[in-house]
Amino acid sequence: MSPIRRWLRWLLPFAVSIALLSWLFARTDFTGVVEKVDVRILLIMIPALLLYGAFSLWVEAQSLMRVMASSGQPVDAITCARAKAASYLYAIVHYTVGAGVLAVLLKRRTQIRLADTTGAVAFISVLDLIVLLFIAALGGALLASREPALQLGLVLGGVAVLVGGFAFLRAPIPLGKFLERVRNFALFRAVRTTPLPTLLELIGFRFLFVTSFMGVAVVALLAFHIHIPLGDMVVGFTAVSLIAALPIAVSGLGTGQATWLFVFRHWSDPETLLASSLVLSLGLILLRAGMGVLFAHELTREALDAAREVDS
């Protein structure tokens, strides 16, 4: 990667976050946003974030351990947790760089090919997307009585496409020369080789991961006395998660707030919504940065080398 492209890759997320936050603060009362955050909010959110951080890292370690075991070179949960924690520092700025760092660290711990560890990391991300859209479909079903049927149809259609793609990769019958070549890409190896019982365990763990994030987001809403019907809340969280996951802003900062204000605009004023979203996002950023330093400090140099390898 050229130096210019490398600099753009790292600077663009900051530029997008700063631009979007500036735009949001220009449309709201900044003083009003700050005044919404008091000691009571912090006493609610800090324990919730710490609990989420510990639980989500455990889920990530269990998920990685099961995916890597299918390669024939199992990795213990502690190693998986340390590698994931080290990647948090890079995922904060750029999600794909964090995923790449995690894949490189796992490769160095297992001597598995980089394409296979990358496939394992991508496999977990795909499972998260499937689980997220499935939960959104359930939320859409709750809205079906008062929302256009197209909304539910699009969500269910997205689930069908993803599940269909998964079935395509694991189909036990030959599908022709071209399709077989696609299925045999090393990137898809984790999808194809993970045993069905392990796959069901993974789906369960990813369900816990997605719902734990939604749980801490619910705490953020309730802490600011924002009460949203369950169906609207689930569909809204899905939209926020999908937009915030785009690798164009620092840990979704700015993109997540803009989406949050839009999807929940009927249930509170902009200042309260922006305050709740910022407390959640900034809390998660500080949490992941702290976890990276606290639990993976011995991997810092190796993670830096991995980040350079991903950028090269």
Side-chain angles (χ1 to χ4, degrees):
M1 183 181 295
S2 67
I4 294 177
R5 289 186 62 187
R6 186 179 295 113
W7 276 105
L8 287 175
R9 184 179 190 177
W10 287 100
L11 292 177
L12 180 61
F14 288 97
V16 171
S17 290
I18 292 171
L20 281 174
L21 289 176
S22 299
W23 177 73
L24 288 171
F25 280 124
R27 295 171 60 90
T28 57
D29 178 9
F30 178 78
T31 303
V33 173
V34 174
E35 290 176 348
K36 299 289 183 181
V37 183
D38 54 21
V39 175
R40 183 188 66 84
I41 297 295
L42 297 179
L43 290 177
I44 294 172
M45 290 304 301
I46 290 175
L49 287 166
L50 291 175
L51 179 61
Y52 167 76
F55 181 75
S56 62
L57 185 60
W58 175 78
V59 170
E60 294 280 25
Q62 295 298 319
S63 301
L64 286 168
M65 186 174 65
R66 283 161 173 77
V67 172
M68 299 306 296
S70 67
S71 66
Q73 295 192 39
V75 189
D76 62 90
I78 298 298
T79 298
C80 290
R82 289 169 56 207
K84 183 64 181 181
S87 73
Y88 279 150
L89 295 171
Y90 303 91
I92 287 173
V93 178
H94 203 291
Y95 177 80
T96 54
V97 173
V101 168
L102 176 59
V104 172
L105 289 175
L106 291 173
K107 170 185 175 293
R108 294 179 179 178
R109 289 293 177 271
T110 61
Q111 300 308 311
I112 300 173
R113 292 188 306 168
L114 180 59
D116 291 334
T117 56
T118 301
V121 174
F123 179 35
I124 291 176
S125 297
V126 170
L127 285 179
D128 284 346
L129 185 57
I130 292 174
V131 170
L132 184 63
L133 290 177
F134 178 74
I135 293 174
L138 297 179
L142 296 175
L143 297 176
S145 61
R146 58 185 178 83
E147 294 287 336
L150 179 61
Q151 182 183 42
L152 181 58
L154 288 174
V155 174
L156 292 176
V159 174
V161 169
L162 290 169
V163 173
F166 179 77
F168 155 71
L169 292 173
R170 291 184 66 100
I173 58 175
L175 299 175
K177 185 176 179 180
F178 174 75
L179 293 180
E180 286 301 312
R181 186 180 303 170
V182 173
R183 294 204 305 175
N184 287 324
F185 286 162
L187 186 63
F188 299 138
R189 186 161 298 157
V191 184
R192 293 186 287 106
T193 60
T194 304
L196 185 58
T198 302
L199 176 62
L200 294 176
E201 288 184 340
L202 277 169
I203 292 174
F205 277 115
R206 302 325 293 176
F207 181 82
L208 290 175
F209 178 78
V210 172
T211 54
S212 65
F213 168 75
M214 289 187 172
V216 76
V218 169
V219 172
L221 288 172
L222 295 180
F224 286 86
H225 303 294
I226 304 171
H227 301 279
I228 301 173
L230 181 60
D232 297 276
M233 189 160 51
V234 170
V235 173
F237 285 156
T238 302
V240 172
S241 299
L242 291 174
I243 298 300
L246 295 175
I248 59 173
V250 177
S251 199
L253 195 62
T255 53
Q257 279 65 55
T259 310
W260 185 283
L261 263 68
F262 177 75
V263 297
F264 298 137
R265 64 191 183 281
H266 299 303
W267 289 278
S268 189
D269 59 90
E271 287 74 23
T272 303
L273 287 171
L274 186 54
S276 64
S277 182
L278 284 173
V279 166
L280 178 63
S281 292
L282 293 175
L284 289 173
I285 290 173
L286 292 174
L287 172 70
R288 287 166 180 162
M291 290 171 67
V293 173
L294 181 62
F295 294 107
H297 59 89
E298 68 273 24
L299 292 178
T300 300
R301 179 170 297 178
E302 189 173 359
L304 281 170
D305 293 338
R308 295 189 188 102
E309 187 172 334
V310 171
D311 265 341
S312 63

